[in-house]
Amino acid sequence: MAEESQKWVLMVTAQTPTNIAVIKYWGKRDENLILAINDSISVTLDPAHLCTTTTVAVSPAFNQDRMWLNGKEISLSGGRYQNCLREIRARANDVEDEKRGIKITKNDWENLHVHIASYNNFPTAAGLASSAAGFACLVYSLAKLMNVQEDNGKLSAIARQGSGSACRSLYGGFVKWVMGKEENGSDSVAIQLVDEKHWDELVIIIAVVSSRQKETSSTSGMLETVETSALIEHRAKEVVPKRIIQMEEAIQKRDFATFTHLTCADSNQFHAVCLDTSPPIFYMNDTSHRIISCVEKWNRSEGTPQVAYTFDAGPNAVLIARNRTSAALLLQRLLFHFPPNSETDLNSYVIGDKSILKDAGIPEIKDVEALPPPPEIKDKVPVQKCKGEISYFICTRPGRGPVLISDESQALLNPDTGLPK
């Protein structure tokens, strides 16, 4: 290691998307290694709208490993962070920056400390898989910094030890987490089923019902479900294996009707298992249920599904529309049933891909007030409008996997000090 100057800082910045499971992971067979009791399948979301950006830095001047999340310093003493750091360090290789005269040998990494700064462009711990994107980005960026030669499949087994669903964020498109059979977790990895271009007409609208932290974390919720639910074993052994096969086929064939049936059924069963836990876990709320009702009525009236819904461990709805036309009609229905408060700016109420507002013919807030009731609402039924129940909507699509960011202006750490900017 170059000793002439202890001042150098070597940095890497990466961006990793979040993902939403369409066949859910719930329950572990090993708490420490985070090994699932069933396979799962997810769709990766466009990182332009939902992602984690992480900068990692190494310097002989650092005297301990430190991390900042969304601007606040957090402790790295937890087992999950330590597992990821240990696994990556064990695979580190020589790194050389000839221009700056920096040479780090494989053995140096054991004695060097890292600084990590991470930022989510969406609410943390609100049920939008922020820990998945976060741990995937941590592992991916550290692997690049330390010149780890493993492919993303092997890295997924490390990210899994931080957060189970993080393994699926190492790929774009549709991704399967294979639960594996080995006790050491070596075969519990993510594999890409198809990339983001395979089914690129899909449009995803997320209704952020609450961006507050959830009352029951996924970790403790799973533990309680596995210990107390009579249904969870039946789900893991009998139901999910069949659904995985059907879902893989539906994705390959772009069969939206089957995809919708499986996605909605699996989301509902996951929440049924949460209700079957003692004490019961309530991740959804009344607004979540109203969104399901709205989608179910529309799908039934059309005779062929237009939208699939899925809810992770939180009240937010992830709605997958079959194409842009369906997405525009969905947004009309959502804004009709869940209008913003009068003083809300429409541009901050619908974020992400705003062109869907134009497709829906709703360029301004006054256009929301003029929306007619959807045709599936029967005349005699009083229309219930739930103003202010949705914080905002995010319009997005299936997206790519993690990437390195070479633009230093996007780095979260100062290149001279290795401290947050």
Side-chain angles (χ1 to χ4, degrees):
M1 190 163 54
E3 292 297 337
E4 38 306 353
S5 162
Q6 292 288 294
K7 296 266 182 178
W8 59 262
V9 175
L10 199 62
M11 288 195 333
V12 163
T13 299
Q15 195 181 65
T16 303
T18 185
N19 72 79
I20 296 293
V22 290
I23 301 290
K24 305 292 186 192
Y25 142 60
W26 197 250
K28 303 183 188 80
R29 60 187 172 90
D30 185 307
E31 284 292 322
N32 185 43
L33 291 172
I34 311 191
L35 301 175
I37 60 170
N38 60 262
D39 293 348
S40 56
I41 293 176
S42 63
V43 58
T44 300
L45 304 181
D46 188 341
H49 310 131
L50 292 116
C51 73
T52 297
T53 302
T54 300
T55 299
V56 291
V58 62
S59 171
F62 301 164
N63 55 16
Q64 60 174 344
D65 294 335
R66 295 176 74 186
M67 179 167 181
W68 294 264
L69 175 60
N70 296 332
K72 285 191 185 135
E73 186 159 11
I74 63 165
S75 167
L76 278 171
S77 62
R80 294 181 167 205
Y81 286 110
Q82 289 304 316
N83 285 351
C84 292
L85 283 163
R86 187 188 64 248
E87 294 283 341
I88 291 287
R89 277 191 173 115
R91 291 164 174 79
N93 288 298
D94 295 1
V95 172
E96 190 167 4
D97 184 335
E98 284 182 10
K99 248 197 243 168
R100 297 169 65 197
I102 300 167
K103 188 167 179 11
I104 306 170
T105 70
K106 191 179 168 69
N107 297 333
D108 290 331
W109 288 108
E110 282 304 315
N111 306 312
L112 285 167
H113 294 287
V114 291
H115 283 186
I116 303 155
S118 200
Y119 172 76
N120 294 327
N121 68 351
F122 59 97
T124 301
L128 284 173
S130 58
S131 63
F135 276 103
C137 207
L138 174 76
V139 166
Y140 184 81
S141 54
L142 284 171
K144 295 297 178 192
L145 179 74
M146 298 187 191
N147 191 22
V148 172
Q149 297 299 310
E150 308 278 20
D151 62 18
N152 282 8
K154 294 259 175 61
L155 291 182
S156 76
I158 301 172
R160 185 203 74 230
Q161 294 175 54
S163 167
S165 44
C167 68
R168 299 187 308 239
S169 274
L170 282 157
Y171 293 102
F174 283 91
V175 184
K176 177 182 178 180
W177 172 12
V178 182
M179 64 185 269
K181 293 184 172 69
E182 299 296 332
E183 274 187 37
N184 66 2
S186 57
D187 60 345
S188 183
V189 296
I191 54 170
Q192 187 181 53
L193 297 176
V194 295
D195 69 16
E196 64 276 16
K197 295 183 185 77
H198 172 77
W199 205 351
D200 62 355
E201 62 263 39
L202 296 178
V203 177
I204 300 164
I205 298 179
I206 301 169
V208 180
V209 175
S210 163
S211 52
R212 285 201 309 270
Q213 273 197 293
K214 54 203 179 202
E215 276 175 39
T216 309
S217 76
S218 302
T219 305
S220 59
M222 280 187 215
L223 198 57
E224 286 164 12
T225 300
V226 169
E227 282 173 3
T228 65
S229 167
L231 294 180
I232 189 73
E233 194 178 350
H234 173 70
R235 168 175 162 75
K237 288 200 170 146
E238 303 295 330
V239 182
V240 174
K242 293 182 186 120
R243 280 187 183 158
I244 290 281
I245 294 164
Q246 294 167 328
M247 181 60 92
E248 283 192 53
E249 193 180 336
I251 290 165
Q252 290 293 349
K253 292 181 172 173
R254 296 188 280 268
D255 172 357
F256 192 76
T258 304
F259 173 81
T260 299
H261 167 70
L262 291 167
T263 299
C264 299
D266 204 72
S267 175
N268 291 336
Q269 189 182 66
F270 154 53
H271 289 279
V273 166
C274 291
L275 282 177
D276 190 49
T277 300
S278 179
I281 307 167
F282 305 98
Y283 285 123
M284 295 201 288
N285 60 20
D286 288 349
T287 308
S288 316
H289 297 142
R290 281 196 267 276
I291 293 169
I292 290 176
S293 173
C294 166
V295 170
E296 287 283 6
K297 276 183 193 148
W298 183 31
N299 280 346
R300 216 169 308 130
S301 76
E302 291 285 346
T304 176
Q306 303 302 305
V307 179
Y309 59 78
T310 186
F311 293 77
D312 271 0
N316 307 312
V318 178
L319 305 162
I320 305 170
R322 66 185 309 147
N323 53 35
R324 283 190 75 88
T325 306
S326 296
L329 293 168
L330 171 64
L331 194 56
Q332 286 177 359
R333 282 163 171 79
L334 291 169
L335 289 171
F336 174 82
H337 287 291
F338 305 98
N341 290 318
S342 313
E343 65 281 3
T344 306
D345 172 23
L346 197 57
N347 276 323
S348 62
Y349 195 59
V350 179
I351 63 172
D353 179 5
K354 292 184 197 295
S355 65
I356 294 174
L357 272 174
K358 204 169 148 198
D359 292 355
I362 315 168
E364 293 177 47
I365 201 89
K366 62 176 172 44
D367 302 304
V368 175
E369 286 147 23
L371 281 169
E376 64 269 18
I377 294 178
K378 303 291 178 274
D379 295 342
K380 291 171 187 159
V381 181
V383 173
Q384 187 184 15
K385 288 203 174 200
C386 309
K387 198 175 244 197
E389 283 194 12
I390 304 280
S391 302
Y392 55 95
F393 295 101
I394 306 168
C395 298
T396 186
R397 64 182 78 83
R400 59 160 169 76
V403 291
L404 284 176
I405 294 174
S406 52
D407 178 2
E408 271 198 13
S409 69
Q410 290 190 53
L412 303 174
L413 294 171
N414 183 311
D416 298 323
T417 62
L419 292 168
K421 282 183 176 174

